[in-house]
């Protein structure tokens, strides 16, 4: 990945794309006040540098019948093989959208979605707790989503004149 310095136009491109990644290059160039050719060139540089890592469609969990959202805190055996094995297994579990290794009392935090409590129970009992190295799992269910965004804050990258 190439290293690039971001200017105000690059930051505007990133902000606009985080709001709507489906814009055409012409629409994007109009929103950032740049002609299409230089806009496309900048966009390609942002992609090549790894700043834009992918484009995706964000689905409504409820619309695809995944109305049960849970965070699961997992404690595992402290052996490095157990950590490596667990990290590899998590990659294969479609119910897990995110997995974070943590400091503190819990080793991992899983962000998960399920159709219902039955599917959740099956995952925890038959997959998670039966995995070698997993010692304990504690769950919290989402009652209400207050904020959910994929947009990263970029204000710290702005250069002040």
């Amino acid at each position: 990945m190439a290293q690039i310095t971001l200017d105000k136009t690059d930051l505007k491109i990133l902000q606009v794309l985080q709001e709507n990644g489906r814009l055409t290059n012409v629409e994007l160039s109009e929103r950032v006040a740049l002609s299409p050719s230089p806009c496309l060139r900048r966009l390609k540089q942002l992609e090549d540098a790894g700043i834009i890592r992918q484009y995706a469609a964000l689905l409504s969990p409820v619309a695809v019948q995944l109305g049960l959202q849970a965070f699961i805190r997992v404690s595992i055996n402290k052996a490095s093989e157990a950590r490596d094995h667990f990290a590899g297994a998590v990659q294969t579990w479609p119910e897990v959208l995110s997995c974070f290794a943590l400091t503190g009392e819990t080793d991992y935090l899983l962000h998960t979605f399920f159709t219902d409590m039955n599917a959740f129970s099956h995952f925890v009992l038959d997959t998670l707790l039966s995995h070698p190295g997993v010692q304990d799992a504690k769950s919290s269910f989402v009652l209400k989503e207050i904020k959910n965004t994929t947009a990263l804050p970029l204000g710290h990258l702005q250069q002040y004149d």
Side-chain angles (χ1 to χ4, degrees), residues 80-92:
S80 63
E81 312 86 54
R83 287 192 310 269
D84 293 343
H85 194 260
F86 180 79
V90 165
Q91 300 296 327
T92 68

Side-chain angles (χ1 to χ4, degrees), residues 104-116:
E105 296 177 19
T106 301
D107 298 310
Y108 294 95
L109 178 66
L110 308 180
H111 181 203
T112 59
F113 280 88
F114 302 93
T115 54
D116 55 25

Side-chain angles (χ1 to χ4, degrees), residues 42-132:
R42 283 176 179 259
L43 182 59
K44 179 78 170 121
Q45 288 174 334
L46 293 167
E47 292 169 346
D48 290 346
I51 294 168
I52 297 174
R53 61 183 171 120
Q54 74 183 61
Y55 297 89
L58 302 176
L59 308 182
S60 164
V62 173
V64 294
Q65 301 171 0
L66 292 171
L68 183 63
Q69 184 176 179
F71 289 90
I72 307 172
R73 296 168 305 284
V74 180
S75 297
I76 63 165
N77 181 314
K78 302 302 181 204
S80 63
E81 312 86 54
R83 287 192 310 269
D84 293 343
H85 194 260
F86 180 79
V90 165
Q91 300 296 327
T92 68
W93 298 337
E95 302 87 352
V96 178
L97 273 66
S98 304
C99 174
F100 304 95
L102 304 175
T103 61
E105 296 177 19
T106 301
D107 298 310
Y108 294 95
L109 178 66
L110 308 180
H111 181 203
T112 59
F113 280 88
F114 302 93
T115 54
D116 55 25
M117 186 58 77
N118 199 27
F120 169 79
S121 296
H122 173 71
F123 173 77
V124 170
L125 296 174
D126 300 337
T127 303
L128 185 60
L129 290 177
S130 67
H131 187 276

